[in-house]
Amino acid sequence: MFDITVGVLMLVLFAPLMLLIASLIVLRDGPGVFYAHKRVGRGGRQFNCLKFRTMMKDADTRLAHILATDPVAQREWAIYRKLRNDPRIIPGIGHRLRKLSLDELPQIWNVIRGDMSIVGSRPVTREELVRYGSAAQLYTQMRPGLTGPWQASSRSDATYEARIAMDIEYFQNWSLMEDLRITAKTAMMVLRGRSPGAY
C-alpha cells in the first residue's frame, strides 16, 4: 500500500516535469526518450527497469573504446562500475538529470507495476547478482528500490563491495520505519540539489 500510494502521488506530481524532460532529450539527441535495462526483481524474475535516456545513442561503442584505450578508466570501471567523466552522457541535459537523479523518475511506473518498491536494494543485473554470493537469495526475496540505503548514505564513493554490504545489512534489518527514514533522507538530498548515490 505504501509503494502504490506514494508511487501514484509521485506520478501525478512529476508528470509535467517528466513531459518537459522528454521534450528536452528529443531536442538534444533525437527520439528515444526512455532506456530500459533488464534487472533482477523479486523471486529472481527479470523486468525492464526504466530510466530517462541520459546517454548518447552510441553509448556502448563509446564505452568499449574508452575501456580498450584508457587503463585508468579500466581500473575505475572495475572498482565502481561507473566513470567519473563518462564520455557517453548527453552533454548538458544528461549531466543535469543525473546530478538531480531525475533520470530515475520513470521508475515510478516500475513501482506502480510492482516490479520495484519505493525503498529497497539497488536494481542489479544477473551478472551483478553473482557478486552477492550467498546473499543473492536475500536479494531475490525483496523488491529492488527507487532509493535505498546506499543512495541515501553519505558514502557516495563507496566501492561496489561496500554497496553490496549495505544492501545485505538492509535485507537483514528491514523495517517500515527504516524505509520511511530512507525516503525522507533521499527527498532532502534531492531538494538540496545533491544526487542520491552520486559519484
Side-chain angles (χ1 to χ4, degrees):
M1 289 182 66
F2 174 77
D3 287 336
I4 294 174
T5 301
V6 175
V8 170
L9 288 174
M10 289 179 68
L11 186 62
V12 172
L13 177 64
F14 289 112
L17 177 60
M18 292 172 73
L19 182 60
L20 174 61
I21 290 171
S23 301
L24 291 174
I25 292 172
V26 171
L27 287 173
R28 183 63 184 82
D29 197 50
V33 170
F34 299 109
Y35 173 75
H37 197 262
K38 291 288 184 184
R39 301 295 167 119
V40 180
R42 188 175 184 180
R45 181 179 62 85
Q46 286 190 308
F47 68 95
N48 287 320
C49 186
L50 301 175
K51 284 189 175 186
F52 279 121
R53 182 170 63 85
T54 59
M55 292 190 179
M56 307 291 282
K57 291 182 178 179
D58 61 346
D60 291 340
T61 302
R62 288 171 181 256
L63 178 63
H65 175 73
I66 195 169
L67 294 182
T69 59
D70 188 336
V72 174
Q74 290 175 15
R75 289 193 295 273
E76 189 178 6
W77 182 262
I79 295 171
Y80 300 105
R81 298 290 295 181
K82 60 170 76 173
L83 299 174
R84 187 182 301 273
N85 298 309
D86 199 324
R88 302 172 295 169
I89 300 175
I90 300 172
I93 181 66
H95 288 282
R96 184 57 60 89
L97 291 177
R98 288 186 166 212
K99 180 180 179 181
L100 298 176
S101 292
L102 295 177
D103 60 317
E104 297 181 358
L105 283 176
Q107 290 173 23
I108 296 171
W109 182 243
N110 286 123
V111 172
I112 294 172
R113 280 174 45 89
D115 299 322
M116 297 174 63
S117 291
I118 295 296
V119 182
S121 61
R122 295 164 300 106
V124 300
T125 63
R126 286 211 182 279
E127 293 74 21
E128 291 177 285
L129 188 58
V130 173
R131 301 178 69 170
Y132 279 73
S134 59
Q137 185 177 2
L138 287 174
Y139 177 94
T140 56
Q141 289 177 11
M142 304 180 76
R143 292 182 179 90
L146 188 61
T147 187
W150 168 64
Q151 294 94 322
S153 77
S154 58
R155 298 172 60 187
S156 59
D157 60 347
T159 63
Y160 198 85
E161 285 68 28
R163 284 181 259 165
I164 290 174
M166 281 186 252
D167 277 346
I168 293 173
E169 183 180 1
Y170 171 78
F171 300 150
Q172 295 173 334
N173 300 285
W174 178 88
S175 72
L176 180 58
M177 288 305 299
E178 178 66 6
D179 277 6
L180 292 173
R181 186 191 71 80
I182 290 173
T183 301
K185 189 170 182 180
T186 301
M188 290 302 298
M189 292 170 72
V190 172
L191 289 174
R192 291 171 183 168
R194 180 184 168 206
S195 171
Y199 193 93

